[in-house]
Each structure stands twice: as structure tokens, then as C-alpha cells.
Amino acid sequence: MSDEINGIKTDIALIKKDVKQIERFFDKVDTVMSEMSDMTKSLAVQQKIIEHFTSKLEDLEEKMEEHKQEDIKRTEMLQARLEEYRKSSKEDHKRLSEESAKNRAERNKEIMTELGKLNGNLESRMVDLKSATEDQEARLRKIENIKWWLLGAIAVITFLAQSIDITAIIG
């Protein structure tokens, strides 16, 4: 019996040793399970953070796309306005050029009419001056003719008067 008791004691000691090893194993399993639970929690938190950032990125991408579309629309609208202003500017420039040309033509016509009137007045004055000059030249010729005729008459009278004086003296 003593062998049996020693055998049983050995078996109990072995079982105790196995139980301690099993307890250590389960302690390690509990530690690992606790660490895995913490890791799972951490992963879940990280997953939520990633989902949150992903949703924010998607929102930002949507907003960026909206802004891009708005910018495209604004650019198209500005280009349309710019083209409209260019056309309007060309039309205004053309209209102003035509009005300016029309005003210049009217002013030139008025100036030419006035110059024509002045030229007509000058021509009539020139004709009047020419006829007045011719009339004065005719009068001047008459006066010169009368002067020469009087000088001739005076010379004849002087000659006759001297001839008479001489004949009266001689005779």
C-alpha cells in the first residue's frame, strides 16, 4: 500500500502540476484574450476613425466637385458676358464711327457750301473790282487825253501869242 499511496501521491502531484500548468495556460489565454479584446476595441475605434475620415473626404470631394462645377459655370457665364461686351463694344464703335463720319461729312458739306458762297462773293467782288478798275482806267485816259489836248492848245495859244507879239513888235 505504501507503493500505492506513493503512486497516488505521485499521481496527485502530477495532476496538481498539470492543473497549475493548465491554470497558467488559461491565465495566459485570459491575458491574450484581454489583449485581443483591447486590440479589437482599438481596431474598432480605428475603423470608426477611418470611416469618419473617409466620409469627410467624400464630403470634401463632393464639395470640391460642386465648386468645380460652379467655377465652370461662372467661367462660361463670364466668357459669355465678355463676348457680349465685345460684340456690344464693336457695335458701339461701328455706330460711333458711322456717326462721326456722318457728322464730318455734314460739316465738310457745310464748310464747302460756305466756301462756295465766299468764292461766289469773291468772284462777284472781283468782277465788280475789275469793272470799277476798267471804269477808272477809262476816266484816267480821258483825263490824260484832256491834259494833253489842253497842253497842245496852250502850246498853240502860246505860239500864236508869241507870234502875235513878235508881229506886233515888228510891225
Side-chain angles (χ1 to χ4, degrees):
M1 243 216 15
S2 109
D3 269 339
E4 277 185 29
I5 293 184
N6 278 339
I8 292 180
K9 281 185 182 181
T10 310
D11 283 342
I12 290 178
L14 284 173
I15 290 175
K16 280 184 180 182
K17 185 179 174 188
D18 284 343
V19 168
K20 281 187 180 182
Q21 282 183 349
I22 289 173
E23 281 180 0
R24 274 190 260 147
F25 173 76
F26 279 117
D27 282 343
K28 286 183 181 180
V29 168
D30 282 343
T31 305
V32 168
M33 288 295 280
S34 173
E35 288 176 1
M36 285 179 68
S37 174
D38 289 344
M39 288 171 105
T40 304
K41 287 178 186 176
S42 177
L43 283 173
V45 169
Q46 292 296 324
Q47 183 64 31
K48 288 289 183 184
I49 290 172
I50 289 172
E51 288 174 2
H52 178 71
F53 280 124
T54 303
S55 87
K56 280 192 173 188
L57 283 174
E58 288 172 356
D59 289 345
L60 284 174
E61 286 176 353
E62 288 176 12
K63 287 181 181 179
M64 284 174 47
E65 186 61 32
E66 288 175 6
H67 286 294
K68 184 179 177 181
Q69 293 301 323
E70 288 176 5
D71 286 345
I72 289 171
K73 287 178 183 177
R74 284 187 200 126
T75 302
E76 290 172 352
M77 183 178 65
L78 287 174
Q79 286 176 343
R81 284 184 183 172
L82 181 62
E83 188 61 31
E84 182 180 320
Y85 290 145
R86 284 181 182 157
K87 286 179 183 177
S88 175
S89 174
K90 285 180 183 178
E91 290 172 3
D92 289 345
H93 179 70
K94 183 178 179 182
R95 183 176 43 82
L96 287 173
S97 293
E98 289 172 357
E99 287 179 9
S100 178
K102 182 180 175 183
N103 288 339
R104 274 195 309 265
E106 288 176 2
R107 279 184 269 147
N108 286 345
K109 186 176 179 181
E110 289 174 6
I111 290 171
M112 292 308 288
T113 303
E114 291 299 318
L115 284 175
K117 287 178 184 177
L118 284 175
N119 194 18
N121 289 341
L122 287 175
E123 286 179 9
S124 67
R125 286 183 183 170
M126 289 298 287
V127 168
D128 291 345
L129 283 174
K130 189 175 181 181
S131 66
T133 303
E134 288 174 356
D135 188 38
Q136 286 178 358
E137 284 180 5
R139 286 182 182 173
L140 189 58
R141 270 189 238 115
K142 283 182 185 178
I143 291 172
E144 285 178 351
N145 286 338
I146 291 172
K147 177 182 90 171
W148 290 113
W149 189 78
L150 284 175
L151 280 175
I154 290 174
V156 168
I157 292 175
T158 307
F159 179 71
L160 287 177
Q162 273 186 354
S163 302
I164 294 176
D165 277 348
I166 293 179
T167 48
I169 296 178
I170 301 183

